């Protein structure tokens, strides 16, 4: 039996290189490894926990996100792709788990405090925002996932899911396995302005960017701030353009760029043009698949419906066990 893993992503607009290198590439690797049964879902209810006031684009974002997932190599024959809000059992399990989750567990969640402090333009003093780790626990436990691919910053959330599962098993009946974190090394991915790549900072290179758009974004990237003229030697170790060359450019060529930068024999404009070319080359297959799925909407709908049907079957079985353990039905 393959071990089941589960992960989700909020539909907040176009996916970018940060999503790809921070999560999607790992999802594809786990899928292709062959030892896991992979469930990946669009966390549209999670998007509501912070963006409840603007729901207009959600449905389209969810569909676009699945197109991007398919385009980067997620294979619906190997992975189950579904949309959270289409499986109503997630809401039921969320309600039941919220009954047994002590409030201090949620209040001490570091992401809760950080996001509340960062997103001051939004009123996040809502029950939904405080309780989203419980919804996350419901998502994971519903599928009795063995493991969850996470970044280091998400470990406190997963720990909360593990605590909730232990508490449920102790109070009622041992139903839920305690999910393990599957940590993967991810490269540092900064936006064009040197801050974390994020749609809200408007500094992202999107998975769909190509041609002129891509070249313009790369041309606007921050480099070594001390390199004012082409004749100034550069410091690739602090240059974001160079860190992307390390990902997208062949090893030997990276060494040559590093040396040329330090000896001031290459200018930043030329260096960026080379990078834009390498990114474009490496995304050619992704762009072709994006075009295909955009032109074949029915195929995408079928994939989504099939994923939902697979997920719903498991969710139904789990909830029957949960209701019986609680002696509700
Ligand atoms: S030459 Fe390239 S690596 Fe060096 S500072 Fe300019 S952009 Fe960065």
């Amino acid at each position: 039996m393959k071990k089941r893993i589960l992960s989700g992503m909020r539909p907040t607009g176009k996916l970018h290189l940060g999503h790809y290198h921070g999560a999607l590439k790992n999802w594809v690797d786990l899928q292709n490894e062959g030892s896991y049964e992979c469930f990946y879902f669009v966390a549209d209810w999670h998007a509501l926990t912070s963006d409840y006031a603007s729901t207009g684009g959600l449905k389209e974002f969810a569909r676009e996100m699945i197109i991007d997932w398919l385009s980067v190599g997620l294979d619906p024959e190997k992975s189950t792709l579904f949309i959270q809000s289409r499986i109503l059992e997630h809401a039921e399990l969320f309600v039941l788990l919220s009954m047994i989750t002590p409030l201090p567990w949620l209040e001490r969640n570091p992401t809760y405090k950080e996001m509340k402090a960062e997103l001051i333009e939004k009123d996040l003093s809502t029950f939904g925002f405080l309780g989203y780790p419980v919804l996350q626990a419901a998502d994971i436990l519903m599928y009795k996932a063995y493991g969850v691919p996470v970044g280091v910053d998400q470990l406190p959330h997963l720990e909360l899911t593990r605590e909730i599962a232990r508490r449920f098993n102790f109070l009622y009946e041992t139903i839920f396995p305690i999910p393990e974190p599957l940590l993967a090394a991810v490269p540092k991915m900064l936006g064009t302005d040197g801050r974390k790549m994020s749609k809200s900072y408007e500094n992202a290179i999107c998975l769909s960017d190509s041609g002129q758009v891509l070249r313009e974004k790369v041309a606007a990237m921050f480099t070594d701030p001390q390199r004012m003229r082409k004749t100034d030697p550069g410091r690739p170790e602090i240059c974001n353009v160079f860190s992307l060359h390390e990902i997208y450019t062949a090893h030997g060529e990276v060494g040559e760029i590093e040396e040329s930068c330090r000896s001031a024999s290459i200018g930043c404009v030329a260096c960026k043009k080379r990078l834009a070319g390498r990114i474009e080359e490496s995304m050619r297959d992704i762009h072709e698949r994006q075009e295909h799925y955009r032109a074949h909407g029915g195929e995408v709908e079928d994939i989504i419906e099939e994923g939902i049907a697979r997920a719903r079957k498991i969710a139904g079985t789990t909830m029957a066990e949960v209701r019986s353990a609680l002696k509700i039905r």
Side-chain angles (χ1 to χ4, degrees), residues 221-225 227 233-243 245 257-258 260-262 266-272:
M221 281 177 76
F222 281 27
T223 59
D224 174 358
R227 197 172 186 211
R235 296 170 298 169
E237 68 277 10
I238 60 151
C239 176
N240 194 20
V241 174
F242 186 74
S243 63
H245 268 302
I257 290 170
E258 181 174 9
S260 307
C261 173
R262 289 192 198 286
I266 184 175
C268 293
V269 173
C271 185
K272 286 173 173 178

Side-chain angles (χ1 to χ4, degrees), residues 24-279:
L24 288 178
K25 195 170 173 297
N26 186 34
W27 288 11
V28 174
D29 290 346
L30 289 165
Q31 165 197 271
N32 293 339
E33 210 175 281
S35 46
Y36 297 111
E37 185 190 8
C38 301
F39 279 65
Y40 298 125
F41 70 98
V42 178
D44 51 351
W45 280 340
H46 280 283
L48 293 180
T49 60
S50 55
D51 291 317
Y52 54 85
S54 52
T55 60
L58 267 186
K59 211 171 156 189
E60 196 46 38
F61 288 165
R63 201 172 166 284
E64 279 293 312
M65 181 179 262
I66 290 197
I67 289 179
D68 278 345
W69 289 359
L70 295 167
S71 303
V72 299
L74 286 182
D75 177 351
E77 298 291 324
K78 296 179 184 166
S79 294
T80 298
L81 312 177
F82 67 99
I83 299 174
Q84 179 190 33
S85 65
R86 295 283 308 278
I87 316 283
L88 297 181
E89 285 87 346
H90 284 236
E92 184 182 359
L93 188 55
F94 167 59
V95 169
L96 298 176
L97 296 180
S98 71
M99 304 299 168
I100 64 167
T101 305
L103 213 46
W105 288 9
L106 300 174
E107 286 166 337
R108 69 173 182 234
N109 165 18
T111 319
Y112 170 70
K113 292 182 200 157
E114 270 166 37
M115 279 180 78
K116 254 190 109 177
E118 249 176 52
L119 302 173
I120 41 171
E121 73 285 2
K122 290 177 187 165
D123 179 5
L124 296 181
S125 304
T126 59
F127 169 70
F129 186 67
L130 178 67
Y132 80 83
V134 184
L135 180 56
Q136 211 165 47
D139 300 332
I140 297 166
L141 299 179
M142 183 71 80
Y143 300 93
K144 299 188 177 180
Y146 150 80
V148 182
V150 285
V152 178
D153 55 334
Q154 294 156 321
L155 279 176
H157 280 161
L158 187 61
E159 192 47 44
L160 197 54
T161 295
R162 289 159 58 89
E163 286 298 315
I164 293 171
R166 285 191 195 104
R167 193 164 165 88
F168 182 99
N169 290 345
F170 172 76
L171 286 170
Y172 308 114
E173 196 182 313
T174 303
I175 288 185
F176 298 121
I178 309 301
E180 297 295 329
L182 300 176
L183 279 170
V186 292
K188 196 163 119 191
M189 185 60 52
L190 300 177
T192 51
D193 60 1
R195 293 186 291 172
K196 183 183 171 196
M197 191 175 284
S198 161
K199 186 188 150 229
S200 45
Y201 293 151
E202 296 184 359
N203 65 1
I205 296 175
C206 298
L207 283 181
S208 54
D209 288 342
S210 65
Q212 187 67 7
V213 174
L214 177 62
R215 284 194 291 278
E216 279 174 14
K217 284 190 179 178
V218 175
M221 281 177 76
F222 281 27
T223 59
D224 174 358
Q226 282 183 21
R227 197 172 186 211
M228 308 298 278
R229 289 170 296 266
K230 194 181 162 188
T231 48
D232 296 332
R235 296 170 298 169
E237 68 277 10
I238 60 151
C239 176
N240 194 20
V241 174
F242 186 74
S243 63
L244 285 185
H245 268 302
E246 285 182 308
I247 295 171
Y248 286 100
T249 304
H251 188 67
E253 199 185 331
V254 174
E256 178 237 309
I257 290 170
E258 181 174 9
E259 215 178 294
S260 307
C261 173
R262 289 192 198 286
S263 60
S265 54
I266 184 175
C268 293
V269 173
C271 185
K272 286 173 173 178
K273 272 190 189 154
R274 277 168 83 167
L275 175 63
R278 294 292 172 262
I279 296 177

Side-chain angles (χ1 to χ4, degrees), residues 280-293:
E280 180 121 44
E281 262 169 42
S282 88
M283 295 216 289
R284 195 154 288 142
D285 288 350
I286 295 177
H287 291 157
E288 276 176 19
R289 286 194 286 256
Q290 279 172 333
E291 268 178 44
H292 169 85
Y293 286 114

